[in-house]
Amino acid sequence: MNELKPAAPVLGGGGFLRIRLDLAYDGGPFAGWAVQPGLRTVQGILEEAIALLVRRPVRVTVAGRTDAGVHARGQVVHADLTEAEWLALPRGHELDPAVALLRRLRGALSRGLGDLTGAVEVHRVSVAPEGFDARFSALWRRYSYRIADGPALWDPLGRTSTLWHKERLDVGLLNEGASALLGLQDFRSYCKPREGATTIRELQRFEFSRGSDGVIVASVQADAFCHNMVRSLVGSALFVGEGIEAPGWLLERLLARQRDAKSVLAAPHPLVLEEVAYPSASQLLSRAELTRARRG
């Protein structure tokens, strides 16, 4: 049901095909997305599985790197394969190469993960349109963050994906403070800066809602996020939700453009990358070029 048939392959520069993979993962057992020597990471597991199939190292590019313990339902990556590698995937069977890669990747991931089978699942494989870049072509990324505020809401079955917060939170105060941060801003106060990287981002959505089960869900959407940004935004908002700080304090921290003793990161395990959006095929290349220029 999840197997997509791609358009006919079109060779790009250098004789490579760009392949898009849509995947989900439980970040709990991993030391984050990015490859790190001696540690199990999502990127490392995925690249090992692809290398097993095409018999050479293949580097994947991700839409949004996630920290240790952070999950994803809607992660997107791309990888470049040669035409020969692509056409060899069905192994002589009457099978679309995209379907063959999807099936074989699932098998390779299952073997590579062992007792963690199912922690990483590739849901779709397709030949990417010309100009597609999983990272730079993206219009926005959307995360969710679940908070159970009070022991009455603490469900042991959801403890690996929900923050158990002792104090009751006021959703109205949370949204009043969060709304002031929307727009194109310098989020240095809410990021862990990386050398040479900008902290200017467009925060398009930052809101809290209480579901029918009583659990609060934060929805955070931006054109991109700098390191630790979502967890820092949520962690600071909790002070406002408890009434420790006034709603305007979130904006005051933003305008200060510095990290201090109250720069608190919310726990990683309730954070989920839900969705990555892209423009139409005709605008993929121009979007990627614009994003690269802004990052520069």
Side-chain angles (χ1 to χ4, degrees):
M1 183 173 70
N2 290 319
E3 295 169 350
L4 291 186
K5 292 185 177 180
V10 178
L11 285 176
F16 282 87
L17 292 169
R18 178 148 294 179
I19 308 303
R20 170 174 169 166
L21 308 175
D22 291 71
L23 63 151
Y25 49 83
D26 172 2
F30 300 98
W33 165 266
V35 170
Q36 300 175 62
L39 297 176
R40 177 154 43 191
T41 68
V42 182
Q43 181 183 11
I45 288 292
L46 182 60
E47 290 183 348
E48 287 172 10
I50 297 173
L52 182 66
L53 302 182
V54 301
R55 300 180 183 178
R56 69 170 176 90
V58 175
R59 180 51 49 95
V60 301
T61 297
V62 69
R65 288 189 294 180
T66 49
D67 296 336
V70 176
H71 318 292
R73 286 194 184 91
Q75 185 66 278
V76 181
V77 306
H78 77 246
D80 294 333
L81 303 181
T82 68
E83 182 181 25
E85 289 166 345
W86 177 252
L87 296 177
L89 288 167
R91 291 179 170 176
H93 297 288
E94 293 286 334
L95 197 62
D96 190 303
V99 175
L101 179 55
L102 179 59
R103 292 179 180 176
R104 294 182 63 192
L105 258 183
R106 285 174 172 167
L109 284 169
S110 179
R111 291 192 295 273
L113 288 167
D115 60 350
L116 293 178
T117 295
V120 180
E121 285 291 329
V122 177
H123 290 306
R124 286 174 291 277
V125 172
S126 59
V127 175
E130 185 176 356
F132 177 81
D133 185 294
R135 178 186 178 192
F136 291 113
S137 294
L139 291 172
W140 47 260
R141 290 91 169 156
R142 178 173 61 86
Y143 284 85
S144 69
Y145 195 99
R146 288 173 53 85
I147 308 166
D149 56 333
L153 298 174
W154 294 355
D155 177 5
L157 299 183
R159 69 189 186 283
T160 60
S161 58
T162 305
L163 178 68
W164 286 6
H165 192 71
K166 292 181 180 180
E167 303 300 327
R168 189 73 169 173
L169 300 171
D170 186 315
V171 172
L173 292 177
L174 287 168
N175 283 323
E176 184 180 347
S179 64
L181 303 184
L182 298 177
L184 188 65
Q185 313 269 16
D186 186 345
F187 285 92
R188 179 173 298 273
S189 301
Y190 293 102
C191 294
K192 184 177 180 181
R194 286 180 166 141
E195 186 176 352
T198 179
T199 52
I200 296 175
R201 298 290 188 271
E202 182 187 10
L203 186 61
Q204 301 165 346
R205 181 180 179 186
F206 185 23
E207 60 190 31
F208 297 80
S209 61
R210 192 180 296 277
S212 58
D213 60 356
V215 174
I216 296 172
V217 178
S219 296
V220 192
Q221 178 179 309
D223 58 343
F225 292 93
C226 43
H227 192 209
N228 289 153
M229 180 172 163
V230 181
R231 291 171 57 199
S232 184
L233 287 170
V234 173
S236 295
L238 293 177
F239 287 108
V240 172
E242 281 188 40
I244 297 173
E245 299 286 353
W249 178 74
L250 292 181
L251 180 58
E252 291 173 8
R253 286 186 52 73
L254 177 81
L255 298 177
R257 294 186 176 86
Q258 61 182 9
R259 296 175 66 82
D260 55 31
K262 288 192 175 180
S263 298
V264 178
L265 294 180
H269 68 276
L271 185 58
V272 180
L273 174 59
E274 296 283 359
E275 183 182 6
V276 182
Y278 294 92
S280 63
S282 63
Q283 297 177 320
L284 288 168
L285 180 58
S286 60
R287 173 64 185 182
E289 291 173 343
L290 176 62
T291 304
R292 289 191 183 94
R294 285 177 175 172
R295 295 292 179 269

